[in-house]
Amino acid sequence: CLLHCLCCWQNQKTKEQIESLLQNGKHKELRDRLCCRLTFGTAGLRSAMGAGFCYINDLTVIQSTQGIYKYLERCFSDFKQRGFVVGYDTRGQVTSNCSSKKLAKLTAAVLLAKDVPVYFFSTYVPTPFVPYAVQQLKAVAGVMITASHNRKEDNGYKVYWENGAQITSPHDKEIIKCIEECVEPWNGSWNENLVDTSPIRQDPLKKICDCYMEDLKKICYHRELNVQTNLKFVHTSFHGVGHDYVQLAFKAFGFQPPIPVPEQKDPDPDFSTVKCPNPEEGESVLELSLRLAEKENAKVVVATDPDADRLAVAEHQENGCWKVFTGNELAALFGWWMFSCWKENCSEDADVKNVYMLATTVSSKILRAIALKEGFHFEETLPGFKWIGSRVKDLLDNGKVVLFAFEESIGFMCGTSVLDKDGVSAAVVIAEMATYLEGKNLTLAQKLIEIYETYGYHISKTSYFLCYDPPTIKRIFEKLRNFDAPQSYPKCCGIYNILHVRDITTGYDSSQPNKKSVLPVSKSSQMITFTFQNGCVATLRTSGTEPKIKYYAEMCALPEQSDRSMLEEELQKLIEALIENFLEPDKNGLIWRSA
């Protein structure tokens, strides 16, 4: 088996990694690398770059694409007429001779060698461009090579279906089966030069970029204000793909271009100016942006993550400090804005009952509160934008209007041109919102307080613990399912009484008459939600892409409960009880998230 693996590998660097482990007697590591295969998580296939079947490398990308080819050939009789989209970010690793562009070329080679037309972007693009291109070009599917905001060692393989949404079950499971049937590279699969020579390869870059920027104007409601504003914005692309595209988006809305952070403007696979390339980490990773904004007297900073599908926002306050908004806070602003703009611009016969907003179940319930008061529909999905994208497509196909969707980890979908989170469109929408509010003598932070006072404070806190031992993670969740007795969930957490428990892993929901969860069961991950008598909702779940146990807690108050400090104190005490009683970090050897 090992000799066969070495014969398959044509990447000298990864082949040497396996040979070195063999020569040094590192049999356990060899087993770990070679005896399990990548599986689809909340964001496709994602892992470290390097040698092994559970790593991202030339061979596993070829095998994955061969499996996808086999599955798509079965699903679509017109596969070879409609074609396939391939995009990539700017990641790379010298030690394994892996780069996103090289892996994208190999993805294209597998398909081109089988006479499948491939729309291969000639340069790096934001992740949202791939699902957008799949729909615009009527391709059967698409792949984006990216690990988004993960550490620099990682890469990934994100698959989009013909509807422009990330694949969900059963497609993911069927593709994995097909991959396992196609592990031997086919003739032509290694020929990455095919993208330069094949007559059935097209470059969709100009068409898709032009169409995307034109479509973006559909959610621009105050162009005249944008043209006239003196408000300045700073943008950081976090060493990734976002710079050129955010500049074009601002131009499409009539703005002057945002001021780029020079040290982070251009692609750098080492992400050399940040400790981690995740803008969600807050002020510590936004340091260069904030200092530049102070120097340029810019009031708002927008930060796209390396593949530009997520957005962080910071605003300078009157006290001289910066407020970095959480994903849930930004969602409150986006939700208010998108509904207000729809209301002002809709036709007289438009029915608010036809309007929808969506969020993942671990995200803030603020959209639910707005929906209840304003009369539109709010729906929840499982974590991961793949579930949102698929549900939005269903709603659109049934004549519904979807204004906005989000996940708390700074992923936002404004409008429905892209059925995935999109940091480029979100950046320019927040800029227009800030411009409009400035005309009303309001800041984003002040408007947020107004929203909470109108619809009820929704105060949330999200964090995580690192755990590199899967059996420990499983033990923590199994204890919660057998807390005081077998098959018995906890009835309280310290002094806090639990009203309902929902376990997405097993499909149990105590709030339902039949005790079955309305959301689909997801046996491949751990996720339990507790609803407390005091109005707090808390979820514990494992990450789909990293070795983390995450917790999400939110105090959902009524509009008349306006003592924010009291609500924050209550939430903090409950989180402490949750950690102490349910996670037990000292006992389980969990590593606290670094400040």
Side-chain angles (χ1 to χ4, degrees), residues 167-236:
I167 58 165
T168 55
S169 190
H171 300 312
D172 51 1
K173 292 179 178 62
E174 292 301 315
I175 289 169
I176 290 293
K177 282 185 200 169
C178 289
I179 291 169
E180 287 165 355
E181 293 165 11
C182 303
V183 293
E184 188 82 33
W186 301 332
N187 287 338
S189 288
W190 284 101
N191 185 5
E192 63 184 89
N193 295 323
L194 269 178
V195 295
D196 302 316
T197 59
S198 173
I200 54 171
R201 176 263 175 162
Q202 293 182 56
D203 176 13
L205 182 66
K206 186 178 187 310
K207 178 181 179 178
I208 293 305
C209 195
D210 290 350
C211 289
Y212 174 91
M213 295 304 162
E214 196 58 37
D215 270 348
L216 203 51
K217 293 174 185 175
K218 292 175 185 174
I219 52 172
C220 175
Y221 297 101
H222 298 279
R223 187 180 177 84
E224 68 290 345
L225 293 180
N226 304 341
V227 170
Q228 294 165 10
T229 187
N230 292 318
L231 202 59
K232 289 203 262 184
F233 302 90
V234 161
H235 169 241
T236 173

Coordinates of all heavy atoms in Angstrom, one line a residue, residues 167-236:
I167 N -22.2 22.4 -1.6 CA -22.9 21.1 -1.6 C -23.3 20.7 -0.2 O -22.6 21.0 0.8 CB -22.1 20.0 -2.2 CG1 -20.7 19.8 -1.5 CG2 -21.9 20.2 -3.7 CD1 -20.0 18.6 -1.9
T168 N -24.4 20.0 -0.1 CA -24.9 19.5 1.2 C -25.2 18.0 0.9 O -25.0 17.5 -0.2 CB -26.2 20.1 1.7 OG1 -27.2 20.0 0.6 CG2 -26.0 21.6 2.0
S169 N -25.6 17.3 2.0 CA -26.0 15.9 1.8 C -27.2 15.8 0.9 O -28.1 16.7 0.9 CB -26.3 15.3 3.2 OG -26.5 14.0 3.2
P170 N -27.3 14.8 0.0 CA -26.4 13.6 -0.1 C -25.2 13.8 -1.0 O -24.5 12.8 -1.1 CB -27.4 12.6 -0.6 CG -28.3 13.3 -1.5 CD -28.5 14.7 -0.9
H171 N -25.1 14.9 -1.7 CA -24.0 15.1 -2.7 C -22.7 14.8 -2.0 O -21.8 14.2 -2.6 CB -24.1 16.5 -3.3 CG -25.3 16.8 -4.0 ND1 -25.9 15.9 -4.9 CD2 -26.2 17.9 -4.0 CE1 -27.0 16.5 -5.4 NE2 -27.2 17.6 -4.8
D172 N -22.4 15.4 -0.8 CA -21.1 15.3 -0.2 C -20.7 13.8 0.0 O -19.6 13.3 -0.3 CB -21.0 16.1 1.1 CG -22.1 15.8 2.0 OD1 -23.0 15.0 1.8 OD2 -22.1 16.5 3.1
K173 N -21.7 13.0 0.5 CA -21.5 11.6 0.8 C -21.2 10.8 -0.4 O -20.4 9.9 -0.5 CB -22.6 11.0 1.7 CG -22.7 11.6 3.1 CD -23.9 11.0 3.8 CE -23.9 11.6 5.3 NZ -24.1 13.0 5.3
E174 N -22.0 11.1 -1.5 CA -21.9 10.4 -2.7 C -20.6 10.7 -3.4 O -20.0 9.8 -4.0 CB -23.1 10.7 -3.7 CG -24.4 10.2 -3.2 CD -24.4 8.7 -3.0 OE1 -24.0 8.0 -3.9 OE2 -24.9 8.2 -2.0
I175 N -20.1 12.0 -3.3 CA -18.8 12.3 -3.9 C -17.7 11.6 -3.2 O -16.8 11.1 -3.8 CB -18.6 13.9 -3.8 CG1 -19.5 14.6 -4.9 CG2 -17.2 14.2 -4.1 CD1 -19.6 16.1 -4.7
I176 N -17.8 11.5 -1.9 CA -16.7 10.8 -1.1 C -16.7 9.3 -1.6 O -15.6 8.7 -1.8 CB -17.0 10.8 0.4 CG1 -16.8 12.2 1.0 CG2 -16.2 9.8 1.2 CD1 -15.3 12.7 0.9
K177 N -17.8 8.7 -1.8 CA -17.9 7.3 -2.3 C -17.2 7.2 -3.7 O -16.4 6.3 -3.9 CB -19.3 6.8 -2.5 CG -20.0 6.4 -1.2 CD -21.4 5.8 -1.5 CE -22.3 5.8 -0.3 NZ -23.7 5.5 -0.7
C178 N -17.5 8.2 -4.5 CA -16.9 8.2 -5.9 C -15.4 8.4 -5.8 O -14.6 7.9 -6.6 CB -17.5 9.3 -6.7 SG -19.2 8.9 -7.2
I179 N -14.9 9.3 -4.9 CA -13.5 9.5 -4.7 C -12.8 8.2 -4.3 O -11.7 7.9 -4.9 CB -13.2 10.6 -3.6 CG1 -13.7 12.0 -4.1 CG2 -11.7 10.6 -3.2 CD1 -13.7 13.0 -3.0
E180 N -13.4 7.4 -3.4 CA -12.8 6.2 -3.0 C -12.7 5.1 -4.1 O -11.9 4.2 -4.1 CB -13.5 5.6 -1.8 CG -13.3 6.4 -0.5 CD -14.3 6.2 0.6 OE1 -15.2 5.4 0.3 OE2 -14.1 6.7 1.7
E181 N -13.5 5.3 -5.2 CA -13.5 4.4 -6.3 C -12.5 4.9 -7.4 O -12.3 4.2 -8.4 CB -14.9 4.3 -6.9 CG -16.0 3.7 -6.0 CD -17.4 3.9 -6.5 OE1 -17.6 4.4 -7.6 OE2 -18.3 3.6 -5.7
C182 N -11.9 6.1 -7.2 CA -11.1 6.7 -8.3 C -9.7 7.1 -7.7 O -9.3 8.3 -8.0 CB -11.8 7.9 -8.9 SG -13.4 7.5 -9.6
V183 N -9.1 6.3 -6.9 CA -7.9 6.8 -6.2 C -6.6 6.8 -7.1 O -5.7 7.5 -6.9 CB -7.6 6.0 -4.9 CG1 -8.6 6.3 -3.9 CG2 -7.4 4.5 -5.2
E184 N -6.6 6.0 -8.2 CA -5.5 5.9 -9.1 C -5.6 7.1 -10.1 O -6.6 7.3 -10.8 CB -5.6 4.6 -9.9 CG -4.3 4.4 -10.8 CD -3.2 3.8 -10.0 OE1 -3.4 3.0 -9.0 OE2 -2.0 4.1 -10.3
P185 N -4.6 8.0 -10.1 CA -4.7 9.1 -11.1 C -4.8 8.7 -12.5 O -4.2 7.7 -13.0 CB -3.4 9.9 -10.9 CG -2.9 9.5 -9.5 CD -3.4 8.1 -9.3
W186 N -5.7 9.3 -13.3 CA -6.0 9.0 -14.6 C -4.9 9.6 -15.5 O -4.2 10.5 -15.1 CB -7.4 9.5 -15.1 CG -8.5 8.9 -14.3 CD1 -8.6 7.7 -13.7 CD2 -9.8 9.6 -14.0 NE1 -9.8 7.6 -13.0 CE2 -10.5 8.7 -13.2 CE3 -10.3 10.8 -14.4 CZ2 -11.8 9.0 -12.8 CZ3 -11.6 11.1 -14.0 CH2 -12.4 10.2 -13.2
N187 N -4.9 9.1 -16.8 CA -4.0 9.7 -17.8 C -4.4 11.2 -18.0 O -5.6 11.5 -18.2 CB -4.1 9.0 -19.1 CG -3.4 7.7 -19.1 OD1 -2.5 7.4 -18.2 ND2 -3.8 6.8 -20.0
G188 N -3.5 12.1 -17.9 CA -3.7 13.5 -18.0 C -4.0 14.3 -16.8 O -4.0 15.5 -16.7
S189 N -4.3 13.5 -15.7 CA -4.7 14.2 -14.4 C -3.5 15.0 -13.8 O -3.8 16.0 -13.1 CB -5.2 13.2 -13.4 OG -6.4 12.7 -13.7
W190 N -2.3 14.7 -14.1 CA -1.2 15.4 -13.6 C -0.7 16.5 -14.5 O 0.2 17.3 -14.1 CB 0.0 14.5 -13.4 CG -0.1 13.6 -12.2 CD1 -0.4 12.2 -12.2 CD2 0.2 13.9 -10.8 NE1 -0.4 11.8 -10.9 CE2 0.0 12.8 -10.0 CE3 0.6 15.1 -10.2 CZ2 0.1 12.8 -8.6 CZ3 0.7 15.1 -8.8 CH2 0.5 13.9 -8.1
N191 N -1.4 16.7 -15.6 CA -0.9 17.7 -16.6 C -1.5 19.0 -16.3 O -2.4 19.5 -17.0 CB -1.3 17.2 -18.0 CG -0.7 18.1 -19.1 OD1 0.0 19.0 -18.8 ND2 -1.1 17.9 -20.3
E192 N -0.8 19.7 -15.4 CA -1.3 21.1 -15.0 C -1.2 22.1 -16.1 O -1.8 23.2 -16.1 CB -0.6 21.6 -13.7 CG 0.8 21.8 -13.9 CD 1.5 22.2 -12.5 OE1 1.8 21.3 -11.8 OE2 1.6 23.4 -12.2
N193 N -0.4 21.8 -17.2 CA -0.2 22.7 -18.3 C -1.5 22.7 -19.2 O -1.5 23.6 -20.1 CB 1.0 22.4 -19.1 CG 2.3 22.6 -18.3 OD1 2.4 23.5 -17.5 ND2 3.2 21.7 -18.5
L194 N -2.4 21.8 -19.0 CA -3.6 21.8 -19.9 C -4.4 23.1 -19.8 O -5.0 23.4 -20.8 CB -4.5 20.6 -19.4 CG -4.3 19.2 -20.1 CD1 -5.3 18.2 -19.5 CD2 -4.5 19.3 -21.6
V195 N -4.4 23.8 -18.7 CA -5.1 25.0 -18.6 C -4.5 26.1 -19.6 O -5.3 27.0 -19.9 CB -5.2 25.6 -17.2 CG1 -5.9 24.7 -16.2 CG2 -3.8 25.9 -16.6
D196 N -3.3 25.9 -20.0 CA -2.7 26.9 -20.9 C -2.8 26.5 -22.3 O -2.7 27.3 -23.2 CB -1.2 27.1 -20.6 CG -1.0 27.5 -19.1 OD1 -1.7 28.4 -18.7 OD2 -0.1 26.9 -18.4
T197 N -3.1 25.2 -22.6 CA -3.1 24.7 -24.0 C -4.5 24.2 -24.5 O -4.7 24.2 -25.7 CB -2.1 23.5 -24.1 OG1 -2.5 22.5 -23.2 CG2 -0.7 24.0 -23.8
S198 N -5.4 23.8 -23.6 CA -6.6 23.2 -24.0 C -7.6 24.2 -24.6 O -7.8 25.3 -24.1 CB -7.3 22.6 -22.8 OG -8.6 22.1 -23.2
P199 N -8.1 23.9 -25.8 CA -9.1 24.8 -26.4 C -10.4 24.9 -25.7 O -11.2 25.8 -26.0 CB -9.3 24.2 -27.8 CG -8.9 22.7 -27.6 CD -7.9 22.7 -26.6
I200 N -10.7 24.0 -24.8 CA -12.0 24.0 -24.0 C -11.8 24.7 -22.7 O -12.8 24.6 -21.8 CB -12.7 22.6 -23.9 CG1 -11.7 21.6 -23.3 CG2 -13.1 22.2 -25.3 CD1 -12.4 20.3 -23.0
R201 N -10.7 25.3 -22.4 CA -10.6 26.1 -21.2 C -10.9 27.6 -21.6 O -10.3 28.1 -22.5 CB -9.1 26.0 -20.6 CG -8.9 26.9 -19.4 CD -8.2 28.2 -19.8 NE -8.0 29.1 -18.6 CZ -7.2 30.1 -18.5 NH1 -6.4 30.4 -19.6 NH2 -7.1 30.8 -17.5
Q202 N -11.7 28.2 -20.8 CA -12.0 29.7 -20.9 C -11.7 30.4 -19.7 O -11.8 29.9 -18.6 CB -13.5 29.9 -21.3 CG -13.9 29.3 -22.6 CD -15.4 29.6 -22.8 OE1 -15.8 30.7 -22.8 NE2 -16.2 28.5 -23.1
D203 N -11.3 31.7 -19.8 CA -11.0 32.6 -18.7 C -12.3 33.4 -18.5 O -12.6 34.3 -19.3 CB -9.8 33.4 -19.0 CG -9.6 34.4 -17.8 OD1 -10.2 34.3 -16.8 OD2 -8.7 35.4 -18.0
P204 N -13.0 33.2 -17.4 CA -14.3 34.0 -17.2 C -14.1 35.3 -16.4 O -15.0 36.0 -16.1 CB -15.1 33.0 -16.3 CG -14.1 32.3 -15.5 CD -12.8 32.2 -16.3
L205 N -12.8 35.7 -16.1 CA -12.5 36.7 -15.2 C -13.2 38.1 -15.5 O -14.0 38.6 -14.7 CB -11.0 37.0 -15.1 CG -10.6 38.1 -14.1 CD1 -10.9 37.7 -12.7 CD2 -9.1 38.4 -14.2
K206 N -13.0 38.5 -16.8 CA -13.6 39.9 -17.1 C -15.1 39.8 -17.1 O -15.8 40.7 -16.5 CB -13.1 40.3 -18.5 CG -13.5 41.8 -18.8 CD -13.0 42.3 -20.1 CE -13.4 43.7 -20.3 NZ -14.8 44.1 -20.0
K207 N -15.7 38.8 -17.7 CA -17.2 38.7 -17.7 C -17.8 38.7 -16.3 O -18.7 39.4 -16.0 CB -17.6 37.5 -18.6 CG -19.1 37.4 -18.6 CD -19.6 36.1 -19.4 CE -21.1 36.0 -19.3 NZ -21.6 34.9 -20.1
I208 N -17.2 37.8 -15.5 CA -17.8 37.6 -14.2 C -17.5 38.9 -13.3 O -18.4 39.3 -12.6 CB -17.1 36.4 -13.5 CG1 -17.6 35.1 -14.2 CG2 -17.5 36.3 -12.0 CD1 -19.1 34.9 -14.4
C209 N -16.4 39.5 -13.4 CA -16.1 40.7 -12.6 C -17.0 41.8 -13.0 O -17.6 42.5 -12.2 CB -14.6 41.1 -12.8 SG -14.1 42.3 -11.5
D210 N -17.2 42.0 -14.3 CA -18.1 43.1 -14.8 C -19.5 42.8 -14.4 O -20.2 43.7 -13.9 CB -18.0 43.2 -16.3 CG -16.7 43.7 -16.8 OD1 -15.9 44.2 -16.0 OD2 -16.4 43.6 -18.0
C211 N -20.0 41.6 -14.6 CA -21.4 41.2 -14.2 C -21.6 41.4 -12.7 O -22.7 41.9 -12.3 CB -21.7 39.8 -14.6 SG -21.9 39.6 -16.4
Y212 N -20.6 40.9 -11.9 CA -20.8 41.0 -10.5 C -20.9 42.5 -10.0 O -21.8 42.8 -9.2 CB -19.5 40.3 -9.8 CG -19.5 40.5 -8.3 CD1 -20.0 39.5 -7.5 CD2 -18.9 41.6 -7.7 CE1 -20.0 39.7 -6.1 CE2 -18.9 41.8 -6.3 CZ -19.4 40.8 -5.5 OH -19.4 41.0 -4.2
M213 N -20.0 43.3 -10.5 CA -20.1 44.7 -10.1 C -21.4 45.4 -10.6 O -21.9 46.3 -9.9 CB -18.9 45.5 -10.7 CG -17.5 45.0 -10.1 SD -17.4 45.1 -8.3 CE -16.0 44.0 -8.0
E214 N -21.9 45.0 -11.7 CA -23.2 45.5 -12.2 C -24.3 45.0 -11.3 O -25.2 45.8 -10.9 CB -23.4 45.1 -13.7 CG -24.5 45.9 -14.4 CD -24.2 47.4 -14.4 OE1 -23.0 47.8 -14.6 OE2 -25.2 48.1 -14.3
D215 N -24.3 43.8 -10.9 CA -25.3 43.2 -10.1 C -25.3 43.9 -8.7 O -26.3 44.0 -8.0 CB -25.2 41.7 -9.9 CG -26.0 40.9 -11.0 OD1 -26.8 41.6 -11.6 OD2 -25.8 39.7 -11.1
L216 N -24.1 44.2 -8.3 CA -23.9 44.9 -6.9 C -24.7 46.1 -6.8 O -25.2 46.5 -5.8 CB -22.4 45.2 -6.8 CG -21.9 45.3 -5.3 CD1 -22.2 44.1 -4.5 CD2 -20.3 45.4 -5.4
K217 N -24.9 46.8 -7.9 CA -25.7 48.1 -7.9 C -27.1 47.9 -7.6 O -27.8 48.9 -7.2 CB -25.6 48.8 -9.3 CG -24.1 49.2 -9.7 CD -24.0 49.7 -11.1 CE -22.6 50.1 -11.5 NZ -22.5 50.5 -12.9
K218 N -27.6 46.7 -7.6 CA -29.0 46.4 -7.2 C -29.3 46.6 -5.7 O -30.4 46.9 -5.3 CB -29.4 44.9 -7.6 CG -29.4 44.6 -9.0 CD -29.7 43.1 -9.2 CE -29.6 42.7 -10.7 NZ -29.7 41.3 -10.9
I219 N -28.2 46.6 -4.9 CA -28.3 46.8 -3.5 C -27.7 48.2 -3.1 O -27.4 48.4 -1.9 CB -27.8 45.6 -2.6 CG1 -26.4 45.2 -3.0 CG2 -28.7 44.5 -2.7 CD1 -25.7 44.2 -2.1
C220 N -27.5 49.0 -4.1 CA -27.0 50.4 -3.8 C -28.2 51.3 -3.9 O -28.9 51.4 -4.9 CB -26.0 50.8 -4.9 SG -25.5 52.5 -4.7
Y221 N -28.6 51.9 -2.7 CA -29.8 52.7 -2.6 C -29.6 54.2 -2.4 O -30.5 55.0 -2.5 CB -30.6 52.2 -1.4 CG -31.1 50.8 -1.6 CD1 -30.4 49.7 -0.9 CD2 -32.1 50.5 -2.4 CE1 -30.8 48.4 -1.1 CE2 -32.6 49.1 -2.6 CZ -31.9 48.1 -1.9 OH -32.3 46.8 -2.1
H222 N -28.3 54.7 -2.2 CA -28.1 56.1 -2.0 C -26.8 56.5 -2.7 O -25.9 57.1 -2.1 CB -27.9 56.3 -0.4 CG -29.2 56.0 0.3 ND1 -30.3 56.9 0.4 CD2 -29.6 54.9 1.0 CE1 -31.2 56.3 1.1 NE2 -30.8 55.1 1.5
R223 N -26.8 56.3 -4.0 CA -25.6 56.6 -4.8 C -25.2 58.1 -4.7 O -24.0 58.4 -4.6 CB -25.8 56.2 -6.2 CG -24.5 56.3 -7.1 CD -24.8 55.9 -8.5 NE -23.6 56.1 -9.3 CZ -22.6 55.3 -9.3 NH1 -22.6 54.1 -8.7 NH2 -21.5 55.6 -10.1
E224 N -26.2 58.9 -4.7 CA -25.9 60.4 -4.7 C -25.2 60.8 -3.4 O -24.3 61.6 -3.4 CB -27.2 61.2 -4.9 CG -28.3 61.1 -3.8 CD -29.0 59.8 -3.6 OE1 -28.9 59.0 -4.5 OE2 -29.6 59.6 -2.6
L225 N -25.6 60.2 -2.2 CA -24.9 60.4 -1.0 C -23.5 59.9 -1.0 O -22.5 60.5 -0.5 CB -25.6 59.8 0.2 CG -27.0 60.3 0.6 CD1 -27.6 59.5 1.7 CD2 -27.0 61.8 0.9
N226 N -23.3 58.7 -1.6 CA -22.0 58.1 -1.7 C -21.0 59.0 -2.5 O -19.8 59.1 -2.2 CB -22.0 56.7 -2.4 CG -23.0 55.8 -1.6 OD1 -23.3 56.0 -0.5 ND2 -23.4 54.7 -2.3
V227 N -21.5 59.5 -3.6 CA -20.7 60.4 -4.5 C -20.2 61.6 -3.7 O -19.1 62.1 -3.9 CB -21.5 60.8 -5.7 CG1 -20.7 61.8 -6.5 CG2 -21.7 59.5 -6.6
Q228 N -21.1 62.2 -2.9 CA -20.8 63.5 -2.2 C -20.1 63.3 -0.9 O -19.5 64.3 -0.4 CB -22.1 64.2 -2.0 CG -22.8 64.6 -3.3 CD -24.3 65.0 -3.0 OE1 -24.7 65.2 -1.9 NE2 -25.0 65.2 -4.1
T229 N -20.1 62.2 -0.3 CA -19.6 62.1 1.1 C -18.1 62.4 1.3 O -17.3 62.1 0.4 CB -19.9 60.6 1.7 OG1 -19.5 60.6 3.1 CG2 -19.0 59.6 1.0
N230 N -17.8 63.0 2.4 CA -16.4 63.2 2.8 C -15.9 62.1 3.8 O -14.8 62.2 4.2 CB -16.3 64.6 3.5 CG -16.5 65.7 2.5 OD1 -16.1 65.7 1.4 ND2 -17.3 66.7 2.9
L231 N -16.8 61.2 4.1 CA -16.4 60.1 5.0 C -15.3 59.3 4.4 O -15.4 58.9 3.2 CB -17.6 59.2 5.3 CG -17.7 58.4 6.6 CD1 -17.5 59.2 7.8 CD2 -19.0 57.6 6.6
K232 N -14.3 59.0 5.1 CA -13.2 58.2 4.6 C -13.2 56.8 5.2 O -13.5 56.6 6.4 CB -11.8 58.8 4.9 CG -11.6 60.1 4.1 CD -10.1 60.4 3.9 CE -9.7 61.5 4.9 NZ -8.3 61.9 4.8
F233 N -12.8 55.8 4.4 CA -12.8 54.4 4.8 C -11.4 53.8 4.6 O -10.7 54.1 3.6 CB -13.8 53.5 4.0 CG -15.2 54.0 4.1 CD1 -15.7 55.0 3.2 CD2 -16.0 53.6 5.1 CE1 -17.0 55.5 3.3 CE2 -17.3 54.0 5.2 CZ -17.8 55.0 4.3
V234 N -10.9 52.9 5.5 CA -9.7 52.2 5.3 C -10.1 50.7 5.1 O -11.0 50.2 5.7 CB -8.8 52.3 6.6 CG1 -7.8 51.2 6.6 CG2 -8.1 53.6 6.6
H235 N -9.4 50.1 4.1 CA -9.7 48.7 3.9 C -8.4 47.9 4.0 O -7.3 48.3 3.5 CB -10.2 48.5 2.4 CG -10.3 47.0 2.0 ND1 -9.6 46.5 0.9 CD2 -10.9 45.9 2.6 CE1 -9.8 45.2 0.8 NE2 -10.6 44.8 1.8
T236 N -8.5 46.7 4.7 CA -7.4 45.8 4.7 C -7.9 44.5 4.1 O -9.0 44.0 4.4 CB -6.8 45.5 6.1 OG1 -5.8 44.4 5.9 CG2 -7.8 45.1 7.1

